[in-house]
Amino acid sequence: MRYTSLLPLVFTFLNIVSAAPPINAKTAAALPVCPNRSTGQYDYIVAGAGAGGGPIAARLALKGYKVLLIDAGHDHDNFNTSIPLYLARASEDPQIQLDYYVKHYPPGDSNQDLTWYPRSTGIGGCTVHNALINVIPHKWDFNQIQSMFNDNSWSWDNMANYFTKIENIHYDLDPLPLDISLPFMTVPGVLKTFGDLLSGLLPGLSLPGLLPGFFLPGTNLLSGARHGYKGWLHTRLPPLVDPQLTAAYGACLAENPVKGLMDWNDWENDEVSGGGFVSMTKGLDGKRSSVRDHILKTRSDKPSRLFIQPDTFVTKILNCREADGSIRAYGVETVIAPNGKSMLPGSPRFGGKFTNATVTTFTAKNEIILSAGPFQSPQLLMNQGRQNLYSAGAAIYAWSHKSNPALPYRDIFSFWTPAYFKNFHKGWGQETASDHRAFINVIIKAHTKSRGWVRLTGGHPQDTLEINKNQFNTPESLDDLYVVRDEMKKSREFAQYSLFNGTLDKEIFPGPDVTTDAQLEEFIKTNQWGHHACCTAKIGVESDPMAVVNNNFQVYGVKSLRVLDNSVWPNIPGMFPTTPIYMISEKGADVVHAYAQSQGWTPTP
């Protein structure tokens, strides 16, 4: 089959949003006196069952603590959430669909828009509808926090242990088409798996066909890989079951080889430029692998330790006054959704704002952990009397490199996959399914310079938020625009002269008439999108007026309250946020457990 269409130039930006400082301790006098900790119903309450809340809730339960995991959605498992390629349908599955609308540009900008930002609700959060891309963050992401607090537990070397802990790698077992000949290598015999392919890449070495243990720390040829075989997150490489696609990707690899046998999740490749296959969170059964599976298995294994409260909307964090005048969080107020309805205004099942709803209170002996995501976690904090949030200033195959050699990380991730996709809009899943002859290139510019904001529009917990990414509004953020423009040119050249060997017929988006720098920049401003908002309750030192939590995820000014999700990063982590969030959530579990031991808190019998 020839590909009659090419979509090489769609762009995503990872945008950072910064938060304002927490509540002032002067309000403590108006709070009730704290109850005795022993009266708490649970040891820990975790609000949000996604990438941030799921791992820490499960891990604390496995350590013996009695944990309540609350989510405004419910568990939902169907073809949309389990079949990887059905992700195009999952974002509009009414059982999990959660619609946010964001602006990309400040008021008055000629490109002002209101863009659909699909998220997911329910057990697993956005991990049940995302693109399954599994890429570790940069060493720099961790080392900056290590330096900020002189805390070696944040060093990339220590944080890599959490990736090993969560991963269950299956790269060596992934199938390749039979009887194929890749243009960049000669492999004797028939290729059956990626293990065989990797053997062929190492002439003169005698390796087993399936390379068992090839990626295991201490035995693999690349000492920095630090992969894991015993974790709860299954990872695989993309299925190359079509000889034409395989030949195309072979051409890609020949043009842009990468150190580390095409492995983006080898820490030795942190600053290495080149091309390789993209790891996916998928099990040996071919189904999506996510924290949802880990949560449900933990509940099944530890039914007296992990309790899940679905369809329950947290409306308020309960604070109290300690004898020394300090503030402590001891519980949450919630409203349970009516049967079949949702309490979230972005859900198609939204039943409207509650007025005199029945309030259910849950209390914790030890701590409350907010993991409701980069929009809802700060909304809960702001509705507690905190200030509005303002800005601080506000695959399959991929190649990655630095746009500037002086950078301490790769900031470009350009991946190619067979699909028809322009951007996220209502109906995009059906549009994607309607054309089977397209190839798309998505360019990601990581560590962007834009700083946006999240602001309350009212005091009701179900009020929508004002979200503005404030892009291309400073000289620094304009540099991002120019970098992406230049990457578009590279992608075009790569497709025309190096890639697919005549398989492509034409470019249809943006099309051959968009050629000048000005036209390319306007195209980017009109069509770019980004779904990795973060940093709305960021980690920082106490003297930083924009910091909300410390290096142990504790909210400044409030005892027994932590935030643990994508909102806590001080800067955008790496290229894709899911795996980094999983890693810090597992770290959070260790931090919380160590603190409990230091306080003499033992698990509830």
Side-chain angles (χ1 to χ4, degrees):
M1 180 182 73
R2 288 178 62 82
Y3 294 99
T4 57
S5 301
L6 171 64
L7 300 175
L9 304 172
V10 177
F11 310 92
T12 180
F13 278 75
L14 308 182
N15 295 286
I16 184 172
V17 192
S18 299
I23 193 168
N24 192 298
K26 292 179 180 179
T27 61
L31 295 173
V33 174
C34 288
N36 190 294
R37 285 187 181 271
S38 65
T39 63
Q41 299 164 281
Y42 302 89
D43 295 326
Y44 294 95
I45 294 174
V46 181
I56 190 172
R59 189 64 62 187
L60 289 174
L62 290 170
K63 289 179 182 292
Y65 295 102
K66 186 178 180 182
V67 181
L68 177 65
L69 179 60
I70 302 174
D71 200 274
H74 51 258
D75 185 42
H76 182 60
D77 182 31
N78 65 1
F79 288 155
N80 295 340
T81 59
S82 62
I83 299 176
L85 285 180
Y86 275 39
L87 66 93
R89 297 175 51 172
S91 60
E92 294 186 76
D93 185 323
Q95 291 299 313
I96 59 173
Q97 179 179 345
L98 186 59
D99 299 336
Y100 281 89
Y101 290 89
V102 305
K103 294 182 178 181
H104 285 91
Y105 305 106
D109 190 286
S110 60
N111 286 284
Q112 189 57 263
D113 59 353
L114 193 62
T115 303
W116 182 46
Y117 189 130
R119 293 180 63 78
S120 178
T121 181
I123 308 305
C126 287
T127 71
V128 302
H129 87 155
N130 67 11
L132 294 87
I133 295 176
N134 169 48
V135 178
I136 58 176
H138 298 130
K139 294 179 180 179
W140 180 87
D141 297 317
F142 297 128
N143 289 343
Q144 62 163 333
I145 303 176
Q146 175 193 17
S147 298
M148 190 185 304
F149 292 93
N150 193 26
D151 179 355
N152 289 334
S153 73
W154 276 100
S155 69
W156 76 266
D157 188 53
N158 183 62
M159 293 303 298
N161 294 326
Y162 292 107
F163 181 64
T164 305
K165 187 174 188 175
I166 69 174
E167 188 183 33
N168 192 339
I169 188 174
H170 306 296
Y171 288 9
D172 54 338
L173 300 177
D174 284 308
L176 282 171
L178 297 179
D179 299 315
I180 63 170
S181 176
L182 298 181
F184 62 99
M185 58 180 286
T186 301
V187 180
V190 177
L191 288 170
K192 296 183 179 66
T193 69
F194 266 96
D196 296 316
L197 184 151
L198 295 176
S199 295
L201 284 173
L202 297 169
L205 290 178
S206 176
L207 295 172
L210 297 181
L211 297 178
F214 183 80
F215 289 97
L216 279 175
T219 63
N220 64 336
L221 297 182
L222 304 171
S223 60
R226 309 279 287 273
H227 284 290
Y229 267 79
K230 298 180 180 180
W232 49 263
L233 184 69
H234 296 269
T235 63
R236 297 180 64 181
L237 295 175
L240 296 184
V241 295
D242 178 274
Q244 186 182 27
L245 285 179
T246 303
Y249 288 124
C252 292
L253 290 171
E255 182 72 16
N256 286 284
V258 68
K259 172 191 172 185
L261 302 180
M262 305 166 292
D263 185 12
W264 291 120
N265 290 334
D266 181 343
W267 295 91
E268 297 259 331
N269 292 338
D270 184 56
E271 296 189 48
V272 176
S273 297
F277 294 104
V278 180
S279 173
M280 304 174 67
T281 53
K282 186 172 69 169
L284 288 175
D285 58 1
K287 295 182 179 180
R288 175 190 293 271
S289 177
S290 75
V291 73
R292 171 189 174 271
D293 312 308
H294 183 41
I295 293 169
L296 297 182
K297 184 178 186 305
T298 303
R299 182 181 62 176
S300 176
D301 292 345
K302 303 286 184 180
S304 66
R305 300 293 87 190
L306 181 60
F307 299 82
I308 300 175
Q309 183 71 35
D311 292 312
T312 301
F313 184 58
V314 176
T315 62
K316 184 179 181 180
I317 304 163
L318 294 174
N319 293 324
C320 59
R321 174 171 44 87
E322 294 275 40
D324 61 1
S326 61
I327 299 172
R328 172 165 71 88
Y330 70 95
V332 293
E333 287 186 356
T334 69
V335 175
I336 299 174
N339 188 37
K341 298 295 184 180
S342 171
M343 304 302 292
L344 296 170
S347 170
R349 298 180 293 108
F350 182 51
K353 284 186 180 181
F354 62 82
T355 51
N356 297 313
T358 300
V359 174
T360 302
T361 298
F362 299 100
T363 58
K365 294 178 180 179
N366 296 351
E367 296 186 283
I368 311 296
I369 300 166
L370 293 185
S371 300
F375 298 145
Q376 289 173 285
S377 284
Q379 185 170 19
L380 274 168
L381 291 173
M382 288 189 288
N383 275 327
Q384 293 303 109
R386 288 148 177 78
Q387 304 171 31
N388 252 327
L389 301 194
Y390 291 95
S391 65
I396 291 179
Y397 166 84
W399 75 71
S400 184
H401 62 272
K402 299 179 181 182
S403 63
N404 183 333
L407 291 174
Y409 43 70
R410 288 176 284 108
D411 63 324
I412 299 296
F413 197 88
S414 179
F415 65 91
W416 300 75
T417 193
Y420 183 102
F421 176 76
K422 292 183 176 180
N423 53 38
F424 284 104
H425 56 274
K426 292 294 182 70
W428 76 274
Q430 184 58 44
E431 182 181 80
T432 297
S434 67
D435 193 328
H436 303 164
R437 301 174 301 159
F439 230 89
I440 182 177
N441 169 224
V442 178
I443 300 171
I444 292 180
K445 172 66 177 75
H447 298 285
T448 52
K449 304 301 191 299
S450 299
R451 300 292 184 270
W453 59 78
V454 176
R455 296 172 182 167
L456 295 177
T457 61
H460 194 282
Q462 290 174 299
D463 285 334
T464 57
L465 295 166
E466 177 194 334
I467 305 168
N468 193 310
K469 296 182 179 179
N470 193 34
Q471 290 185 292
F472 309 139
N473 197 37
T474 64
E476 294 79 12
S477 60
L478 282 174
D479 286 342
D480 296 331
L481 175 65
Y482 305 146
V483 166
V484 175
R485 176 200 65 198
D486 293 341
E487 290 302 319
M488 288 180 65
K489 297 177 183 178
K490 293 177 184 178
S491 290
R492 279 180 160 172
E493 181 177 352
F494 185 67
Q496 291 172 1
Y497 300 111
S498 304
L499 184 60
F500 306 132
N501 300 317
T503 305
L504 301 171
D505 281 345
K506 63 181 178 180
E507 174 189 313
I508 62 172
F509 187 70
D513 295 332
V514 178
T515 58
T516 68
D517 284 357
Q519 289 173 328
L520 291 171
E521 290 164 14
E522 186 59 30
F523 172 80
I524 294 167
K525 294 187 71 173
T526 302
N527 293 282
Q528 60 86 21
W529 45 271
H531 284 183
H532 299 159
C534 74
C535 318
T536 48
K538 73 169 190 173
I539 292 172
V541 295
E542 192 167 9
S543 59
D544 180 353
M546 301 305 294
V548 174
V549 299
N550 64 16
N551 53 319
N552 292 320
F553 312 104
Q554 295 166 309
V555 174
Y556 284 118
V558 182
K559 293 180 178 179
S560 299
L561 179 63
R562 302 186 198 240
V563 181
L564 221 169
D565 54 32
N566 208 34
S567 63
V568 303
W569 294 99
N571 290 288
I572 302 162
M575 304 287 184
F576 298 91
T578 302
T579 298
I581 300 170
Y582 284 158
M583 293 169 67
I584 64 170
S585 185
E586 289 283 3
K587 174 182 171 55
D590 284 349
V591 168
V592 168
H593 175 55
Y595 184 76
Q597 291 183 313
S598 73
Q599 298 299 305
W601 299 340
T602 57
T604 296

Short mmCIF file of all heavy atoms in Angstrom, two decimals, residues 16 22 40 57 99 145 152 182 192 200 210 227 230 259 262-263 270 314 395 411 445 451 507 517 550:
data_model
loop_
_atom_site.label_atom_id
_atom_site.label_comp_id
_atom_site.label_asym_id
_atom_site.label_seq_id
_atom_site.Cartn_x
_atom_site.Cartn_y
_atom_site.Cartn_z
N ILE A 16 4.00 25.17 31.11
CA ILE A 16 4.12 25.21 32.57
C ILE A 16 3.17 26.26 33.12
O ILE A 16 2.96 27.30 32.52
CB ILE A 16 5.57 25.53 32.97
CG1 ILE A 16 5.74 25.48 34.48
CG2 ILE A 16 6.01 26.88 32.45
CD1 ILE A 16 7.18 25.59 34.91
N PRO A 22 0.75 29.17 49.68
CA PRO A 22 -0.39 28.62 50.40
C PRO A 22 -0.96 29.59 51.43
O PRO A 22 -0.48 30.70 51.61
CB PRO A 22 0.20 27.38 51.07
CG PRO A 22 1.65 27.70 51.24
CD PRO A 22 2.02 28.54 50.04
N GLY A 40 -9.04 9.17 63.54
CA GLY A 40 -9.13 9.13 62.09
C GLY A 40 -9.62 7.78 61.58
O GLY A 40 -9.28 6.73 62.14
N ALA A 57 -0.98 5.44 46.71
CA ALA A 57 -2.03 4.78 47.48
C ALA A 57 -1.79 3.27 47.53
O ALA A 57 -1.89 2.65 48.60
CB ALA A 57 -3.39 5.07 46.86
N ASP A 99 -13.75 17.23 29.90
CA ASP A 99 -13.39 18.30 28.97
C ASP A 99 -12.98 19.57 29.71
O ASP A 99 -13.76 20.14 30.48
CB ASP A 99 -14.56 18.64 28.05
CG ASP A 99 -15.00 17.46 27.19
OD1 ASP A 99 -14.17 16.57 26.97
OD2 ASP A 99 -16.17 17.44 26.76
N ILE A 145 16.24 19.70 41.44
CA ILE A 145 15.61 19.63 42.76
C ILE A 145 16.64 19.20 43.80
O ILE A 145 16.65 19.70 44.94
CB ILE A 145 14.41 18.66 42.74
CG1 ILE A 145 13.39 19.09 41.66
CG2 ILE A 145 13.73 18.62 44.11
CD1 ILE A 145 12.22 18.15 41.51
N ASN A 152 20.09 14.48 48.27
CA ASN A 152 20.58 13.47 47.34
C ASN A 152 19.53 12.42 46.97
O ASN A 152 19.72 11.68 46.00
CB ASN A 152 21.80 12.76 47.92
CG ASN A 152 23.02 13.66 47.95
OD1 ASN A 152 23.14 14.59 47.15
ND2 ASN A 152 23.92 13.42 48.88
N LEU A 182 15.94 -5.68 6.45
CA LEU A 182 16.04 -4.27 6.80
C LEU A 182 17.18 -3.63 6.03
O LEU A 182 18.26 -4.23 5.89
CB LEU A 182 16.26 -4.11 8.30
CG LEU A 182 15.13 -4.65 9.19
CD1 LEU A 182 15.46 -4.41 10.65
CD2 LEU A 182 13.80 -4.02 8.83
N LYS A 192 12.53 -12.98 14.25
CA LYS A 192 11.26 -13.28 14.91
C LYS A 192 10.90 -12.22 15.96
O LYS A 192 9.74 -11.95 16.18
CB LYS A 192 11.33 -14.64 15.60
CG LYS A 192 11.52 -15.82 14.65
CD LYS A 192 11.49 -17.13 15.44
CE LYS A 192 11.67 -18.33 14.53
NZ LYS A 192 13.02 -18.36 13.90
N GLY A 200 21.40 -8.97 15.76
CA GLY A 200 21.97 -8.63 14.46
C GLY A 200 22.69 -7.31 14.46
O GLY A 200 23.58 -7.09 13.63
N LEU A 210 16.34 -14.54 22.09
CA LEU A 210 15.37 -13.68 22.78
C LEU A 210 16.04 -12.77 23.79
O LEU A 210 15.36 -12.01 24.46
CB LEU A 210 14.30 -14.53 23.46
CG LEU A 210 13.43 -15.37 22.53
CD1 LEU A 210 12.39 -16.14 23.36
CD2 LEU A 210 12.75 -14.50 21.50
N HIS A 227 16.72 -0.87 33.57
CA HIS A 227 15.37 -1.37 33.36
C HIS A 227 14.96 -2.31 34.48
O HIS A 227 15.79 -2.83 35.22
CB HIS A 227 15.26 -2.09 32.02
CG HIS A 227 15.21 -1.17 30.84
ND1 HIS A 227 14.13 -0.37 30.57
CD2 HIS A 227 16.12 -0.91 29.86
CE1 HIS A 227 14.36 0.34 29.48
NE2 HIS A 227 15.57 0.03 29.03
N LYS A 230 10.29 -6.63 37.24
CA LYS A 230 9.36 -7.11 38.27
C LYS A 230 8.32 -6.07 38.66
O LYS A 230 7.59 -6.27 39.64
CB LYS A 230 10.16 -7.54 39.50
CG LYS A 230 11.12 -8.69 39.24
CD LYS A 230 11.88 -9.09 40.50
CE LYS A 230 12.85 -10.24 40.22
NZ LYS A 230 13.60 -10.64 41.44
N LYS A 259 22.71 5.79 20.01
CA LYS A 259 23.47 4.98 20.96
C LYS A 259 22.48 4.25 21.87
O LYS A 259 21.44 4.78 22.21
CB LYS A 259 24.37 5.89 21.78
CG LYS A 259 25.07 5.19 22.94
CD LYS A 259 25.72 6.23 23.83
CE LYS A 259 26.26 5.60 25.10
NZ LYS A 259 26.78 6.57 26.04
N MET A 262 18.72 1.93 20.30
CA MET A 262 17.41 2.55 20.09
C MET A 262 16.60 2.70 21.37
O MET A 262 15.39 2.78 21.33
CB MET A 262 16.60 1.74 19.07
CG MET A 262 17.31 1.55 17.76
SD MET A 262 16.55 0.29 16.72
CE MET A 262 16.89 -1.18 17.66
N ASP A 263 17.24 2.73 22.53
CA ASP A 263 16.54 2.70 23.79
C ASP A 263 16.50 4.09 24.41
O ASP A 263 17.48 4.55 25.00
CB ASP A 263 17.22 1.71 24.73
CG ASP A 263 16.47 1.55 26.05
OD1 ASP A 263 15.33 2.02 26.15
OD2 ASP A 263 17.04 0.96 26.98
N ASP A 270 20.89 10.04 27.95
CA ASP A 270 20.19 11.25 28.42
C ASP A 270 20.39 12.45 27.50
O ASP A 270 19.45 13.18 27.22
CB ASP A 270 20.66 11.58 29.83
CG ASP A 270 19.91 12.76 30.42
OD1 ASP A 270 18.68 12.70 30.47
OD2 ASP A 270 20.56 13.74 30.82
N VAL A 314 -14.32 15.51 46.00
CA VAL A 314 -13.79 16.21 47.17
C VAL A 314 -14.08 17.70 47.01
O VAL A 314 -13.65 18.33 46.05
CB VAL A 314 -12.28 15.96 47.32
CG1 VAL A 314 -11.72 16.78 48.49
CG2 VAL A 314 -11.99 14.48 47.54
N ALA A 395 3.86 6.56 18.34
CA ALA A 395 4.85 6.61 18.15
C ALA A 395 5.37 5.28 18.04
O ALA A 395 5.34 4.52 18.95
CB ALA A 395 5.02 7.70 19.01
N ASP A 411 15.76 18.73 23.90
CA ASP A 411 14.48 19.42 24.01
C ASP A 411 13.56 19.19 22.81
O ASP A 411 12.44 19.72 22.78
CB ASP A 411 14.69 20.92 24.22
CG ASP A 411 15.38 21.59 23.04
OD1 ASP A 411 16.26 20.96 22.42
OD2 ASP A 411 15.04 22.75 22.73
N LYS A 445 8.33 20.24 21.51
CA LYS A 445 9.36 21.12 22.06
C LYS A 445 9.22 21.09 23.57
O LYS A 445 8.26 21.59 24.14
CB LYS A 445 9.17 22.55 21.54
CG LYS A 445 10.07 23.58 22.21
CD LYS A 445 11.55 23.34 21.91
CE LYS A 445 12.43 24.41 22.53
NZ LYS A 445 12.57 24.23 23.99
N ARG A 451 4.93 30.79 30.44
CA ARG A 451 4.41 30.63 31.80
C ARG A 451 2.99 31.15 31.81
O ARG A 451 2.75 32.34 31.62
CB ARG A 451 5.27 31.40 32.81
CG ARG A 451 6.73 30.95 32.86
CD ARG A 451 6.86 29.55 33.44
NE ARG A 451 8.25 29.15 33.59
CZ ARG A 451 8.96 28.52 32.66
NH1 ARG A 451 8.40 28.25 31.48
NH2 ARG A 451 10.20 28.17 32.87
N GLU A 507 2.19 15.92 0.69
CA GLU A 507 1.97 16.50 2.01
C GLU A 507 0.65 17.24 1.97
O GLU A 507 0.40 18.05 1.07
CB GLU A 507 3.10 17.49 2.34
CG GLU A 507 2.89 18.25 3.63
CD GLU A 507 3.89 19.36 3.83
OE1 GLU A 507 5.10 19.12 3.63
OE2 GLU A 507 3.46 20.49 4.15
N ASP A 517 9.16 31.63 6.35
CA ASP A 517 9.24 31.62 7.81
C ASP A 517 7.98 32.20 8.43
O ASP A 517 7.45 31.67 9.42
CB ASP A 517 10.46 32.41 8.28
CG ASP A 517 11.76 31.64 8.09
OD1 ASP A 517 11.70 30.47 7.66
OD2 ASP A 517 12.83 32.21 8.38
N ASN A 550 7.38 21.51 49.58
CA ASN A 550 8.83 21.35 49.73
C ASN A 550 9.28 20.07 49.01
O ASN A 550 8.50 19.43 48.28
CB ASN A 550 9.23 21.36 51.19
CG ASN A 550 8.65 20.18 51.98
OD1 ASN A 550 8.18 19.19 51.42
ND2 ASN A 550 8.68 20.29 53.29
#
